[in-house]
Structure formats: C-alpha cells, structure tokens
Amino acid sequence: MAIGTLPFAAVMAVMAAGIALVQGPATDALMTAVPVSEEGMGSAVIGTIRELSGTLGVGIMGSLQAGAYTTGLTDALRGSHLPQDILGASKESVMAAESISGSLPGTLRRLLDDSVASATMTLT
C-alpha cells in the first residue's frame, strides 16, 4: 500500500465500521416499532432512506472533493511557469489534467502530475 493511500484507507475503514455497527440495530429498531400489518411499508421506507442517504453522501463528498482538488491544484501550481490555458483546463478535472500532462515536456509533466496527485489527496 502506498503511503498516500493510507489516510484514505483509514477513512474507509472507519466508515465501514460505522455502517456495520449502526445499520443492523437501526433496521431492527425500526422494524420492531412497525406493526406487522405495515412491515412492507416500513421496509420500503428503510430502503428509500438508504438510497437517498447514499445518493446525498456521494453528491456531497464528490462536491467537496472537486472543490478541494481545484483549490489544491491552484495552490500546488502557484508560481509555476505553466501557461494559463493549461492551468485552467487542468483545474477542470483530473482526467483533463492527465490528458494535458502527456503533451508537456519532462519537467513540466512531472510538476503537473505531482500537483494533481497531491491535489487529489487533499480532502482525504
């Protein structure tokens, strides 16, 4: 495991433990509170809440990560000699930066690649 992935792995382990410890008891508590005649509705509500919370979690974390990437890349490349159009396009997404990186000469390519790698690990 690379050193840069260690914080991400730790965060994922904590999230998995939290889900494992909370989801089962919460489902049990909700289903015991629902009358037998309405168990189908209770199960549907639990499923809907899980889907919505997962969707919101991915959306919120994705937005935070995108903002952190842009800020991290801006900070990492401040004072570099990359042209503004390359800087702007690289801030759009990691894929755009990787695509641009392939066309740069050695030193600038390494600078952009290292900056992108650093910026993607900013939030984790």
Side-chain angles (χ1 to χ4, degrees):
M1 178 183 315
I3 292 174
T5 60
L6 198 55
F8 182 73
V11 168
M12 293 302 291
V14 169
M15 279 182 17
I19 290 170
L21 293 172
V22 171
Q23 192 170 12
T27 300
D28 184 53
L30 286 167
M31 290 308 292
T32 18
V34 173
V36 174
S37 62
E38 296 179 2
E39 283 180 344
M41 188 183 326
S43 177
V45 168
I46 291 170
T48 301
I49 289 170
R50 267 192 207 132
E51 292 294 325
L52 285 174
S53 61
T55 302
L56 283 173
V58 168
I60 291 168
M61 288 306 294
S63 296
L64 290 173
Q65 184 64 45
Y69 167 75
T70 302
T71 302
L73 192 63
T74 300
D75 292 345
L77 293 175
R78 183 170 283 122
S80 70
H81 300 291
L82 287 173
Q84 284 297 350
D85 58 335
I86 290 177
L87 287 172
S90 296
K91 290 178 192 176
E92 292 296 319
S93 72
V94 174
M95 293 301 292
E98 292 299 321
S99 146
I100 292 167
S101 171
S103 65
L104 296 175
T107 305
L108 291 178
R109 177 184 303 165
R110 280 189 297 282
L111 172 65
L112 183 57
D113 288 345
D114 291 347
S115 298
V116 167
S118 172
T120 57
M121 297 306 289
T122 301
L123 188 61
T124 56

